[in-house]
Amino acid sequence: MTDLSIEIGGVKLANPVIAASGTFGYGREYAQLIDVDRLGGICTKGITILPRDGNPPPRLWETPSGLLNSIGLENPGIEAFLRDELPEMKKRGWTTIINIWGETAAEYGALACRLAGSGADVLEVNVSCPNVPGTRLGEREDAVRDVVAAVCDSWQGAIWVKLPPDAGIHVARAAIEAGGDAIVASNTFRAMAIDIARRAPVFDRGVAGLSGPAIKPIALRVVYELCQAIDAPVIGCGGIRTWRDALEFALAGAAAVEVGTAHYVDPCCGIAIVEGLEAYLRERKTSWGDIRGEALRKT
Amino acid sequence: MEQQILLAEVQLTNWVSGDAFLMSVTWREEDPAERSGDVRAGQFFMLRAWDDEPLLSRPMSVFDWHRTGAAQTSAIETEFLCAVRGRGTALLSRLSVGAPIRLVGPFGNGWPLESMAACSRVAVVGGGCGVAPLFLAAKRLAKTGSKDGPRIDAFLGFRGIPYSAVCNRYADVVSKVIVSSETGASASESQRGSVVAGRITDAFDPHGYDMVLACGPRAMLIEIDRRCRQRGVPVLVSLEERMACGIGACLGCAVRTARGVKHVCKDGPVFRSDEVIWDD
């Protein structure tokens, strides 16, 4: 069997295929249908200090090859998560990546503090949710620096910073300089739909987040440009649904990939990507590490 | 029945109106030891019979469910009642006999039929495609209630021409079927019984029922809820929302209830009507 294991920020993953935040619940939702153990890691729904109800319906809108969502970070809050979800995830032996969201750097710090010693493997610092009110932290270098520094103060483990697609190189650099181990590029793209019958935006908040195959070429470009500019690992996310897509991200320099919307389309998608990558690398007698960034070097 | 990914094939597509069809799909359970039990009435599957587009699978509640064949190889036939609303349902409507179709599920809680065994009269009230998730409930309740169980009445409302083939299926299993058409359209000649003009909510009087099960447009459900509340008759509703996963992961299908935000796919689709917050 081809060894697909990787290490990012001191955390070893069995393979580079991770279930993306907000699309895989807490893993148990899919456990009856598929062998979740086969995935490299499970990233949770965004967790906040207090429980959040999320946005009013409608929350979803299908577009050509894409999906608009405006969930609004519905989650049970950190205390219920630590009590009801994390122990189960740990018991199953999954590599757990906890996506956290706060309104201020202090809130991120508090979440990191609460998660310290919890057994979680990675904190994915979400500064890029398009579906909640407030300033768009992830587009501001100083704000990202403060948030990551606040997380670093209380959390000794690995930190991934999930950026919005239009954050830019300077924000990614700031995230790494402040103590981030890796960049996740990226969250959904700010986008919208208008209901022509009502002549009004589909979503209450107007703007929502676009995911799915429609964004893959743009997400790939974001990863490609980041990998050209920074040395830290970049985890690719956006529209990945086949092993070929995952391979493209690896060739563009991604250290790992997150699979999101594709799991709605096919619950077996992530596992199929792992198997496809294994077969490809075995046939070509190469490894994930060797092909990683190859297209970058040919630019 | 445990959640699973099933590869089935289309057995029959039967149009019941200009834009709605009953689609029957079957699959085999090769290993009798791994027989997975039956679906609960009111549960749904995510249906997919295409590769890339549209992106999402389509949630469809089970209309009817049969297990056929001997012990060695049993086959399951399940029927879905769908209306053509967009690309997904149009593709489903055009599947030919033998076409492969993927089902993921069953999902959702379904109707709590066991709790209705002691009822003496139950009404099922469906509007348009909302008549779909009520049929299996009516059939199973009527069966268990051959002597002491509930008497079931079905109120089936349509905007235009009634789905006569569906109404006749109801007539086979329940005590009484009342069919309405908002446009006053008459049913096809094959339909047993008459059609009243107007809304089904006008033809429905909750008096005398111990329990009402309803599914249909939101305005219809609100009206049923209002009338039943006046009479103190409990109502269960099956709700519909856009959903991506069916499994409780995407959190897209949120509904506000007295017990907080719930999800149609996982906590529903069946909810107590008095717990749903209707005014949003």
Side-chain angles (χ1 to χ4, degrees), chain A residues 22-25 29-30 32-33 53 57 59-62 64-67 71 74 213 241 261 264-266 268, chain B residues 2-5 48 52-56 58 102 104 241-245 247-252 254 261 263:
Chain A
T23 61
F24 212 70
E29 289 85 347
Y30 276 96
Q32 191 169 344
L33 282 179
D53 278 351
R59 290 178 169 191
L60 296 174
W61 193 261
E62 195 179 41
S65 294
L67 177 65
I71 307 300
E74 180 187 336
R241 66 185 170 138
T261 302
Y264 302 152
V265 177
D266 177 8
C268 304
Chain B
E2 287 199 346
Q3 290 172 7
Q4 49 198 290
I5 299 169
R48 189 176 192 90
D52 298 336
E53 278 291 305
L55 183 64
L56 301 174
R58 296 295 188 252
R102 193 194 72 186
V104 185
E241 263 300 338
R242 287 171 187 276
M243 60 180 71
C245 68
I247 209 169
C250 75
L251 308 181
V261 172
H263 300 96

